[in-house]
Amino acid sequence: MVLSVHTLVGGALGAVLPVSPLTAFAIGFISHFVLDAIPHSDYPLQSISKDREDRGQDAMVKDGRLAHDLFVNGIDGILGFLILISLTFNAHSLFSIVLGAVGACFPDGLQFLHFMFPKVRWLRAFKKFHGIFHTPLKIEEFMKKHIALSILVQGATACIALLLIIKTIPIPF
C-alpha cells in the first residue's frame, strides 16, 4: 500500500482503539503488514537496482532517481498525515492517532534504511520479514497491469479508515 493509506489506517486504529500511544504505535506497525498482504501495487521505485555483485541484493542508486522517489513518496505520506491531522486535531487521543499513523509507516522507513545500508544485518533480516507479508509477485504484477483495480483497493481501504475516523472523532468542521 502507499504511505497515505498506511497513515490513514494507522491513525484510524489509534482513534478507534482506546489504547496508550505506544500501543497505538505497535498496532499501527502491525497494521502495515496486514495491509501489505492485501493485493495491490506500489509506486515503482526508480532508485532501486539489483547489485549483481552482492548475490542479487537490492541496492539504492543515489542520484536524481532517489530524489524523485523521495519526492513522490514524501508527498504521499505528507498528504496522508495532513488529511489525518485535519480530521483529528481536536481529538483527545491525537497523540495515539499520530503514533498509530507513524507506526503504520515505520516498516517502510526501515525498508528505506535497508536500501541505503544494505549490509546492515538486522535491516536485511527485516527486509526479508517484510517481504513475507507482501502480496505474491504474480498478484503484484497483475495489479500493476490493472492499475485501476489497485487504485480501487487502496481507495476503498482509505475510505474505510476515513469512515472509522469520522465515526469516532467529532469532526471540527
Side-chain angles (χ1 to χ4, degrees):
M1 296 279 171
V2 295
L3 283 178
S4 56
V5 176
H6 283 300
T7 301
L8 292 172
V9 170
L13 292 171
V16 171
L17 302 173
V19 294
S20 72
L22 289 178
T23 305
F25 179 90
I27 291 169
F29 188 85
I30 292 166
S31 78
H32 182 98
F33 301 104
V34 173
L35 290 178
D36 276 356
I38 297 171
H40 67 283
S41 64
D42 293 312
Y43 299 123
L45 296 176
Q46 298 177 7
S47 60
I48 305 300
S49 69
K50 294 287 182 186
D51 182 357
R52 300 190 191 282
E53 294 174 16
D54 193 11
R55 289 179 258 134
Q57 288 292 342
D58 291 336
M60 185 167 281
V61 179
K62 298 167 183 89
D63 60 14
R65 293 173 284 182
L66 174 59
H68 173 270
D69 289 347
L70 288 173
F71 178 77
V72 169
N73 285 283
I75 292 295
D76 179 37
I78 289 168
L79 181 63
F81 272 97
L82 286 175
I83 292 168
L84 183 66
I85 297 299
S86 70
L87 292 174
T88 62
F89 70 90
N90 281 336
H92 64 83
S93 59
L94 182 60
F95 197 51
S96 291
I97 292 168
V98 170
L99 280 182
V102 170
C105 294
F106 198 70
D108 283 341
L110 292 175
Q111 288 286 93
F112 174 75
L113 283 177
H114 164 72
F115 291 126
M116 292 296 290
F117 308 103
K119 304 280 187 212
V120 177
R121 279 189 196 166
W122 71 270
L123 288 173
R124 196 175 333 160
F126 181 80
K127 181 186 182 300
K128 287 180 183 176
F129 175 76
H130 187 257
I132 292 170
F133 294 90
H134 259 269
T135 56
L137 187 58
K138 289 180 182 177
I139 294 173
E140 194 165 320
E141 288 172 359
F142 174 83
M143 296 303 273
K144 285 179 182 175
K145 290 178 185 174
H146 300 88
I147 195 69
L149 180 59
S150 184
I151 291 170
L152 180 67
V153 167
Q154 294 193 56
T157 305
C159 286
I160 291 167
L162 288 170
L163 287 172
L164 284 172
I165 292 168
I166 291 169
K167 185 176 178 188
T168 306
I169 305 291
I171 302 302
F173 44 85

